Structures are given as C-alpha cells and as structure tokens.
Amino acid sequence: NISPLSCSGSRSSKTFKPKKNIPEGSHQYELLKHAEATLGSGNLRMAVMLPEGEDLNEWVAVNTVDFFNQINMLYGTITDFCTEESCPVMSAGPKYEYHWADGTNIKKPIKCSAPKYIDYLMTWVQDQLDDETLFPSKIGVPFPKNFMSVAKTILKRLFRVYAHIYHQHFDPVIQLQEEAHLNTSFKHFIFFVQEFNLIDRRELAPLQELIEKLTSKDR
C-alpha cells in the first residue's frame, strides 16, 4: 500500500506520515468542518476561537490533528532538501539546536540530524494522536486529566518543524511556491496557540520576529 506521495525516494516516504483522519459523522468531524469554514472567511483570529458551547479539550484535539496533518504535508514537500548531509543537527538558526527525547524510549536527549529528529517527532506525535485514551474519537469518551499538558507538548514540538523549515529550508519553499501556504499555516498555528496560551513564549523565540510580522496586521 504505497501512497502516491511517497514515490520520490524511500527516505522521504519514511518521514511522510499517513494523514490522521477524523472519523466522518463524528462530532469532531463537524468541528473540523466548522474550523475549515471559519478559516475560509480569512479572519484567522476569529477562526481559532472556541465555538460557543463547545468543549475546549475537543477543540484543541481537532486542531492539533489538523496542524499535524498540515505540517506533515509541508515538511513532505521539502524532504529532498532536508538530509543527513544538509542538516546534520536539528536546528532553527545558529542559536537554537534541538536534541530528541520522548521520555519513554529515549530518556536522555540525543543529538541527531534534522530528518532523523523530525522522523522521531512525527512518529511520536502520531502515536499520541492514535492513542484512544489520550485522543478519544468516540462520542462520550472523556478526555484524560492530563490531556492539555500532552497537547501542549505536541504543539511545542510541532512548532520546531516550522522553525526548522523557516530557518534552514526557506529557499526551496519559495522555489516550490509554497511560501503563502506555509505562512498561512504557521499564522493559523500561532493564533491558535496564542488564543489558548499553549506554548511558552521562550519556545517561540526562534521565530519571534516572524511571529510579530505575521500577527501585527491582525491585532
């Protein structure tokens, strides 16, 4: 079962995770459709707000899945440029370097190449999203007490993929004419984490200038 997106070489197909689908007909699917509709209006500040009467955990869950899919797709377009040779460390500019640890399989942070780091990261996120005890897809199944802290860790880590793409691979993004797509996706992400205070400001430092630029027009 090879997806058409993965035929450009074995390595890039490895990092390109399958899309995480929200089951049709479920309440979460309705929420996703609501999110897409409000995004279509072009007002991102409005689009991230919790719809009236909705559960915050569920709203954060639906959007986290959506951001995972978006980042997965964006990174998938530039995997040929992000190699062991071009990116021997996972960085976001000269001042920021990330070492991988997930607390279970790899407890002590390890230094690894960007493609390896992103592969670890996306696999880890996918495992969290697939865990029904963390991200229940069935109606009436409650979210666990630690859901928000798990969601915050996922979003904090997904941010690092944006940061790496912007700092190390922006030229190919422009060549591929993906710039508007990347900016819109990142801006949506930033508005969302700002709205619910999901990522510590210090974590956002590698892209602080860009964040100010992208968000200043919409205050």
Side-chain angles (χ1 to χ4, degrees):
N1 182 5
I2 296 176
S3 73
L5 290 162
S6 62
C7 46
S8 64
S10 59
R11 205 197 59 70
S12 47
S13 64
K14 191 166 156 297
T15 308
F16 203 97
K17 303 287 161 225
K19 194 167 190 275
K20 165 86 181 156
N21 286 319
I22 289 174
E24 273 190 62
S26 68
H27 183 62
Q28 292 183 8
Y29 187 78
E30 296 307 312
L31 271 182
L32 181 65
K33 287 281 156 260
H34 170 87
E36 284 169 359
T38 50
L39 275 175
S41 73
N43 185 335
L44 288 170
R45 281 261 182 245
M46 292 289 292
V48 297
M49 289 176 180
L50 180 66
E52 206 172 323
E54 292 299 344
D55 175 48
L56 178 60
N57 285 345
E58 199 154 34
W59 183 238
V60 170
V62 166
N63 281 278
T64 300
V65 170
D66 194 35
F67 289 127
F68 168 77
N69 287 335
Q70 287 182 41
I71 293 167
N72 193 10
M73 212 161 69
L74 286 161
Y75 182 69
T77 63
I78 56 109
T79 47
D80 292 344
F81 304 95
C82 186
T83 63
E84 302 282 329
E85 296 72 41
S86 70
C87 304
V89 294
M90 173 64 178
S91 64
K95 292 205 304 233
Y96 301 95
E97 189 178 302
Y98 299 113
H99 297 175
W100 178 254
D102 58 14
T104 44
N105 300 326
I106 300 172
K107 291 190 167 66
K108 194 166 178 275
I110 57 167
K111 193 170 177 165
C112 53
S113 69
K116 188 90 190 110
Y117 185 101
I118 292 171
D119 192 39
Y120 277 135
L121 188 157
M122 298 303 264
T123 302
W124 176 84
V125 172
Q126 197 173 25
D127 289 345
Q128 311 303 302
L129 300 182
D130 288 340
D131 183 342
E132 281 288 327
T133 64
L134 282 177
F135 280 77
S137 58
K138 294 180 180 61
I139 292 183
V141 177
F143 283 84
K145 289 198 169 42
N146 66 331
F147 172 75
M148 232 11 126
S149 69
V150 172
K152 284 177 177 178
T153 305
I154 291 173
L155 293 164
K156 175 180 81 177
R157 289 178 172 171
L158 287 174
F159 167 81
R160 295 169 182 177
V161 185
Y162 281 121
H164 180 72
I165 294 173
Y166 272 112
H167 276 284
Q168 312 302 131
H169 302 295
F170 200 58
D171 287 346
V173 166
I174 292 169
Q175 284 162 24
L176 293 161
Q177 298 180 322
E178 288 277 335
E179 188 183 355
H181 183 184
L182 175 65
N183 285 344
T184 305
S185 172
F186 181 61
K187 192 170 168 180
H188 180 203
F189 179 89
I190 285 302
F191 281 177
F192 191 81
V193 300
Q194 285 177 344
E195 175 74 14
F196 303 107
N197 205 9
L198 298 167
I199 301 182
D200 195 301
R201 265 185 78 87
R202 283 172 317 202
E203 284 286 337
L204 301 174
L207 293 178
Q208 197 50 52
E209 280 175 39
L210 175 70
I211 290 169
E212 280 163 20
K213 202 170 102 183
L214 286 176
T215 57
S216 63
K217 297 196 263 307
D218 294 81
R219 288 242 150 77

